């Protein structure tokens, strides 16, 4: 009898990770495990080892614009065939969410429909004495165009899986806004499957929550796909944010661009844990992915003592017949030359530093196509800067 394959099984590259819908197939994470080495496991409230508080159904509200066309929303059970089409979970918490949930939601945009106003999906925490698990499928059929604003608010412990299925010649823009209270814990697995000549825009804004870990993965199923993953995050004392990405170029002539920017501020005298962020960006170009064009970058500003950012870009190339590939990551403080220039123009040092931080984020925020979201994020950054002595 052959022993069951476990998650420790060797894999050939970063795209061939072990996957399973069954939490029992994954070992309990330990601090030395590569994919968990930055995560404060003791702060996950048992999501990683099964000791979580009683499981409940999440509070999900889906608001569809009144002028929407071809949009359907359906609550489905866990065994519904429409769930899991983008692939199985790649880690134990995502598998735990799948194994423990009652079901999820399928939001579908019909073939050829065009919706330029976002469907807003709001997930509200159920409180600290319970744990919620869920799943969400966003399906955009051939030749359709859609926009989704995924908003997380409130207090609680939540784990879920998001699937994005983008059909041939379809376009999907998603904004994931982590706006939790600072006592919340949220871990999410995200998998996108892109069809021929499809366009996928994934935007993350992470400002709230005590521990937030997002694992977006993009796979091209046919040539001509175009994916852009953008993110902004701002961590304070007591907050840990991790973004762990994989873009899997498995077919020819696809493009991807990844740009995440983060800032951190802490207080060494505080009783709270230091502000921490980690960003791990993996891009895989497989042997048959000729004509790939990809670039990924992560930039971090450490504004005070009592804060730490880890940035790990990885690029794995199995063919030399590509258009271009590159990566970069930086962790640093203010650029003294920029500060000096602004001081020479009569701007105070405090104002200069605030302008630099806002300008640092603007490159990402200005690409978000929802004006209301852009304004909200600008306001959040301004509020963060009001709470710090720069």
């Amino acid at each position: 009898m052959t022993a069951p394959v476990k998650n420790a099984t060797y894999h050939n590259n970063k795209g061939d990770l072990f996957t399973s819908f069954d939490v029992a197939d994954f070992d309990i994470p330990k601090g030395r495990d590569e994919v968990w080495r930055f995560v404060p496991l003791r702060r996950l409230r048992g999501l990683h080892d099964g000791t979580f508080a009683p499981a409940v159904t999440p509070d999900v509200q889906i608001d569809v614009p009144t002028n929407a066309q071809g949009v359907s929303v359906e609550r489905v059970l866990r065994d519904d065939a429409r769930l899991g089409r983008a692939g199985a979970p790649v880690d134990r918490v995502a598998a735990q969410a799948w194994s423990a949930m009652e079901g999820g939601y399928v939001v579908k945009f019909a073939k050829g429909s065009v919706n330029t106003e976002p469907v807003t999906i709001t997930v509200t925490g159920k409180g600290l004495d319970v744990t919620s698990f869920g799943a969400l499928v966003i399906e955009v059929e051939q030749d359709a165009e859609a926009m989704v604003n995924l908003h997380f608010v409130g207090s609680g412990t939540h784990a879920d899986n998001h699937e994005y299925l983008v059909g041939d010649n379809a376009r999907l823009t998603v904004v994931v806004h982590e706006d939790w209270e600072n006592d919340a814990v949220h871990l999410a697995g995200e998998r996108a499957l892109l069809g021929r000549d499809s366009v996928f825009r994934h935007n993350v804004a992470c400002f709230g929550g005590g521990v937030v870990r997002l694992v977006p993965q993009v796979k091209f199923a046919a040539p001509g796909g175009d994916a852009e993953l953008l993110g902004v995050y701002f961590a304070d004392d007591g907050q840990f944010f991790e973004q762990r990405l994989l873009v899997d170029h498995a077919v020819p002539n696809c493009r991807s661009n990844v740009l995440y920017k983060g800032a951190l501020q802490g207080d060494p005298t505080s009783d709270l844990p230091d502000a921490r962020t980690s960003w791990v960006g993996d891009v895989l170009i497989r042997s048959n992915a000729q004509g790939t064009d990809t670039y990924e970058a992560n930039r971090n500003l450490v504004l005070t003592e009592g804060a730490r950012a880890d940035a790990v870009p990885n690029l794995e190339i199995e063919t030399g017949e590509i258009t271009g590939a590159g990566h970069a990551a930086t962790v640093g403080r203010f650029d003294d030359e920029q500060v000096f220039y602004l001081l020479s123009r009569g701007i105070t040092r405090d104002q200069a530093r605030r302008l630099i931080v806002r300008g640092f984020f603007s490159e990402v925020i200005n690409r978000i196509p929802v004006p209301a979201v852009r304004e909200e994020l600008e306001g959040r950054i301004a509020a963060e800067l009001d709470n710090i002595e720069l």
Side-chain angles (χ1 to χ4, degrees):
M1 180 176 179
T2 304
V5 175
K6 297 288 285 186
N7 60 302
T9 300
Y10 174 79
H11 50 272
N12 293 325
N13 56 44
K14 293 182 180 296
D16 295 330
L17 299 174
F18 174 80
T19 64
S20 175
F21 292 105
D22 186 354
V23 65
D25 289 338
F26 290 89
D27 297 326
I28 294 175
K30 298 179 176 60
R32 294 184 179 180
D33 294 345
E34 170 59 29
V35 299
W36 296 98
R37 64 189 177 105
F38 297 120
V39 181
L41 296 175
R42 294 181 181 180
R43 296 173 61 188
L44 298 187
R45 298 184 184 144
L47 287 174
H48 66 301
D49 62 8
T51 62
F52 50 84
V56 297
T57 302
D59 180 352
V60 181
Q61 178 179 334
I62 301 178
D63 297 312
V64 180
T66 56
N67 61 346
Q69 299 180 351
V71 181
S72 63
V73 178
E74 188 174 350
R75 176 89 164 90
V76 299
L77 297 177
R78 184 177 62 194
D79 60 355
D80 192 287
R82 287 168 290 180
L83 298 180
R85 286 175 289 168
V90 298
D91 63 50
R92 182 181 170 90
V93 174
Q96 179 67 77
W98 184 276
S99 298
M101 72 178 183
E102 293 181 359
Y105 290 86
V106 177
V107 180
K108 184 165 72 172
F109 297 84
K111 179 179 179 179
S113 62
V114 176
N115 290 275
T116 56
E117 291 188 39
V119 170
T120 299
I121 303 172
T122 304
V123 179
T124 303
K126 299 293 286 282
L128 300 180
D129 56 345
V130 295
T131 307
S132 54
F133 297 102
L136 175 66
V137 175
I138 307 296
E139 181 176 6
V140 185
E141 295 188 326
Q142 180 180 347
D143 298 321
E145 180 177 343
M147 190 176 297
V148 174
N149 185 17
L150 184 53
H151 199 192
F152 294 92
V153 297
S155 298
T157 304
H158 183 64
D160 55 4
N161 290 286
H162 314 157
E163 297 179 67
Y164 308 113
L165 305 172
V166 189
D168 293 347
N169 200 39
R171 184 183 186 97
L172 172 61
T173 298
V174 177
V175 179
V176 180
H177 192 179
E178 300 284 336
D179 197 20
W180 299 99
E181 297 297 324
N182 287 341
D183 57 3
V185 173
H186 179 211
L187 279 73
E190 301 185 285
R191 306 204 73 173
L193 188 62
L194 308 189
R196 182 180 296 273
D197 298 326
S198 62
V199 176
F200 179 56
R201 298 290 181 259
H202 185 268
N203 309 271
V204 172
C206 190
F207 291 85
V211 176
V212 176
R213 183 181 195 253
L214 302 180
V215 186
Q217 297 193 326
V218 176
K219 186 168 185 176
F220 297 95
D226 185 335
E228 185 170 72
L229 284 73
L230 305 175
V232 293
Y233 48 89
F234 204 126
D236 296 309
D237 280 333
Q239 292 184 309
F240 171 85
F241 300 152
E242 178 168 275
Q243 322 288 333
R244 182 173 285 268
L245 303 83
L246 170 65
V247 181
D248 187 349
H249 285 269
V251 295
N253 301 321
C254 292
R255 172 191 174 272
S256 67
N257 181 62
V258 177
L259 176 60
Y260 275 65
K261 289 193 171 187
L264 303 87
Q265 59 185 6
D267 180 359
T269 66
S270 170
D271 293 333
L272 294 172
D274 287 350
R276 287 288 305 273
T277 65
S278 68
W279 181 92
V280 181
D282 292 326
V283 174
L284 168 64
I285 304 174
R286 296 180 185 263
S287 59
N288 61 334
Q290 298 87 0
T292 292
D293 186 5
T294 182
Y295 192 82
E296 63 168 349
N298 175 229
R299 313 292 186 188
N300 298 276
L301 270 180
V302 179
L303 303 177
T304 66
E305 300 297 328
R308 173 177 169 176
D310 292 289
V312 186
N314 298 302
L315 182 58
E316 188 171 351
I317 305 174
E318 296 180 347
T319 177
E321 299 179 19
I322 59 176
T323 301
H327 62 183
T330 58
V331 177
R333 296 187 180 273
F334 286 108
D335 187 325
D336 291 335
E337 290 186 2
Q338 292 179 344
V339 174
F340 178 80
Y341 174 81
L342 293 173
L343 290 175
S344 70
R345 295 298 185 270
I347 298 173
T348 67
R349 182 174 295 275
D350 180 70
Q351 291 174 326
R353 292 185 174 184
R354 292 173 190 272
L355 286 171
I356 290 170
V357 174
R358 296 185 72 168
F360 171 76
F361 281 116
S362 65
E363 180 183 5
V364 178
I365 292 176
N366 288 341
R367 297 191 195 181
I368 296 176
V370 186
V373 174
R374 290 199 301 269
E375 293 174 7
E376 183 176 359
L377 295 184
E378 291 282 4
R380 287 299 301 268
I381 292 170
E384 294 279 0
L385 293 175
D386 286 339
N387 295 326
I388 183 175
E389 291 282 341
L390 292 177

